[in-house]
Amino acid sequence: MRDLLVLWDVDYTLLRASGLGDRLYGEVFKDMFGRDLTAVAPKAGRTDRAILIDTLALAGVTEPRAHVDDFLAALARQVAAVDGSADAEVRALPGAAAAIAALAAAGARQSVLTGNIRPLAALKLAAAGLGEHLDLDVGAYGDVHEVRAELVPVARLAARAAYGTDFGGAATVLVGDTPLDVAAALATGARAVGVATGSFPAADLVAAGAHVVLPDLTDTSLVLDAITGPS
């Protein structure tokens, strides 16, 4: 296999977390503002930074951008305080572990490109039993930028420093379940693999321009073919 950097989305691509993120948002909001959080802004394919700006605005917080960094820091602390109860909330999606293991065996470098902050992504992946072959040090996370596409060069730069390899163009592959995952890949010249395991049907991922769309991750050979693409 040629040098390849595979960047997985986390939620609804590799796992389901049963509202864990929303629960933590609510706990942090109550600690910071002394009242309950009644609504969370749309999350699919977006970064924590973008979601929080809109969530705070929905909650009537003045100048929401001024509070985002403090909220993100508090969120990281809240994640660190989560006990083993997260194991009951998080489940790997069918085929995810086998796909990651097969890519590792084939020599692909793998990490995540996720809207989650790193501590939350790491918590979910550990609870789902999916962390073994993912190098989280070269991932890109939701505190970095509001726009998902801006995370791609962050991951590429970290991977180049770690592995001494340039993962430009289609040597980077984004795997995700939303049109925003696809858009981030296309905007940065990466290969886009859509997986229709979230709230968007396969037709939406095709329309967004994904190079390949899979129904799920259960057929490991099909996943490998989709991710590795033309040699």
Side-chain angles (χ1 to χ4, degrees):
M1 178 188 290
R2 71 192 192 281
D3 290 327
L4 205 63
L5 176 65
V6 181
L7 298 173
W8 294 92
D9 173 52
V10 173
D11 293 292
Y12 300 102
T13 298
L14 292 177
L15 56 82
R16 292 180 183 270
S18 301
L20 174 61
D22 285 0
R23 175 169 68 81
L24 294 173
Y25 272 25
E27 291 170 358
V28 173
F29 184 88
K30 189 160 190 177
D31 286 346
M32 287 183 66
F33 299 103
R35 53 191 173 92
D36 290 333
L37 181 64
T38 57
V40 174
K43 298 177 75 173
R46 305 179 71 211
T47 69
D48 272 335
R49 182 170 290 277
I51 296 162
L52 284 172
I53 290 170
D54 289 350
T55 296
L56 294 175
L58 284 172
V61 174
T62 57
E63 298 187 19
R65 290 177 183 274
H67 297 279
V68 168
D69 286 333
D70 287 343
F71 198 110
L72 288 168
L75 180 61
R77 292 192 296 271
Q78 196 73 14
V79 170
V82 172
D83 57 21
S85 64
D87 293 349
E89 296 180 80
V90 181
R91 288 289 180 270
L93 288 176
I100 291 170
L103 282 163
R109 306 291 190 175
Q110 299 179 80
S111 189
V112 296
L113 191 142
T114 174
N116 292 283
I117 61 170
R118 177 170 176 168
L120 185 53
L123 174 69
K124 291 177 180 179
L125 291 165
L130 297 176
E132 180 180 359
H133 299 295
L134 301 176
D135 183 354
L136 299 188
D137 288 340
V138 302
Y141 302 93
D143 57 331
V144 171
H145 203 281
E146 296 168 41
V147 179
R148 194 178 192 93
E150 296 294 331
L151 306 188
V152 179
V154 173
R156 281 176 167 154
L157 185 63
R160 181 171 185 172
Y163 307 130
T165 300
D166 183 358
F167 295 99
T172 299
V173 183
L174 271 60
V175 188
D177 66 285
T178 77
L180 287 177
D181 294 297
V182 175
L186 298 182
T188 55
R191 182 170 174 80
V193 176
V195 187
T197 45
S199 57
F200 294 91
D204 286 1
L205 301 175
V206 171
H211 295 99
V212 182
V213 176
L214 302 170
D216 52 42
L217 300 175
T218 57
D219 186 331
T220 304
S221 294
L222 193 63
V223 174
L224 262 64
D225 288 345
I227 288 174
T228 57
S231 60

